[in-house]
Amino acid sequence: MLQVYLDPCTVNSRKVLAGLELLCAPYEVKHVDYLAGAHKRPEFLAINPNGAVPAAMDGDFTFSESNAILQYAADLSGSDKHYPKDLKRRADINRWLLWESSTWFPSCYTYLVEYVVKPLMNAEPDEAIIDKEASNWHRLAGILDARLVRANWLVGDTVTIADIAVAAPMHLHKSQRLPLNDHPNLKRWMADVEELPCWQ
């Protein structure tokens, strides 16, 4: 059984949990207390030297990166419903996974830090930081909005791990104050994601 080391309070841990539920993949959670700094302790650094959650272990194989965990779990489960083996569809999913981690996550994370994390730490949001990021966020959201004009999900008519990955950085979108009203297809899609049993 896949063991996942995570804390559900983090974006990428939530992504992995929702993805594993979507895949109906058996797993065991090993809680790593993020707020207590457990991800920086020697026992966890032995699992993931990057000092970041989530990480996973399958027997003596240990690895990290949330999207890699979803890809591995999908193949391990033996079902290709949510991560098809067809090369073109898989490449399409993979490009969204890579785009999410390199481009989309950092932009959404700016809003998360300013409007969610800072208030938790009794600090004021820096609107100048939001203003600086806003045009980039809208550009990226526009890419998603255009994609979702022609399909219910990012890759065709079936939800895939790409949907879970791309939605994860938006999971607190109301508290993050993400301006979804400017992107109606993205807003509709996010509402559909939130209705998925795996997401709830």
Side-chain angles (χ1 to χ4, degrees):
M1 180 183 297
L2 192 65
Q3 295 181 324
V4 286
Y5 295 78
L6 49 76
D7 189 323
C9 80
T10 75
V11 170
N12 288 325
S13 292
R14 178 180 173 81
K15 178 203 295 182
V16 165
L17 287 173
L20 291 171
E21 289 293 326
L22 176 72
L23 296 165
C24 298
Y27 65 92
E28 178 185 1
V29 171
K30 301 286 188 180
H31 185 250
V32 179
D33 192 335
Y34 181 81
L35 296 178
H39 58 301
K40 300 297 184 184
R41 293 177 186 156
E43 55 269 31
F44 182 72
L45 292 174
I47 297 167
N48 183 10
N50 292 310
V53 289
M57 185 179 295
D58 183 16
D60 59 359
F61 175 52
T62 302
F63 61 111
S64 60
E65 300 303 323
S66 57
N67 290 336
I69 294 170
L70 293 185
Q71 290 168 310
Y72 184 86
D75 285 336
L76 190 65
S77 73
S79 170
D80 70 350
K81 180 179 179 182
H82 304 295
Y83 189 45
K85 292 181 173 62
D86 175 80
L87 285 180
K88 290 180 180 178
R89 292 198 68 204
R90 181 161 285 204
D92 202 6
I93 292 169
N94 288 344
R95 65 87 169 250
W96 288 112
L97 297 178
L98 292 164
W99 182 84
E100 180 271 331
S101 62
S102 64
T103 306
W104 182 237
F105 174 89
S107 188
C108 291
Y109 194 66
T110 299
Y111 288 80
L112 183 71
V113 168
E114 295 305 316
Y115 291 136
V116 179
V117 177
K118 282 188 176 179
L120 288 174
M121 301 173 68
N122 296 316
E124 290 295 318
D126 188 336
E127 294 296 337
I129 293 175
I130 294 294
D131 291 343
K132 184 178 179 181
E133 183 57 34
S135 62
N136 183 50
W137 188 89
H138 280 289
R139 179 181 66 84
L140 299 173
I143 292 170
L144 289 170
D145 199 69
R147 173 71 171 201
L148 293 162
V149 167
R150 60 181 192 265
N152 291 331
W153 304 101
L154 284 174
V155 183
D157 292 323
T158 302
V159 62
T160 70
I161 60 174
D163 297 287
I164 299 301
V166 172
M170 303 169 60
H171 81 278
L172 294 174
H173 60 90
K174 291 178 183 176
S175 298
Q176 287 170 271
R177 304 186 203 175
L178 293 177
L180 290 180
N181 287 336
D182 295 335
H183 306 278
N185 299 301
L186 180 58
K187 182 178 180 180
R188 182 272 307 161
W189 168 84
M190 191 64 203
D192 290 345
V193 170
E194 290 174 327
E195 290 298 315
L196 295 170
C198 70
W199 192 263
Q200 296 173 11

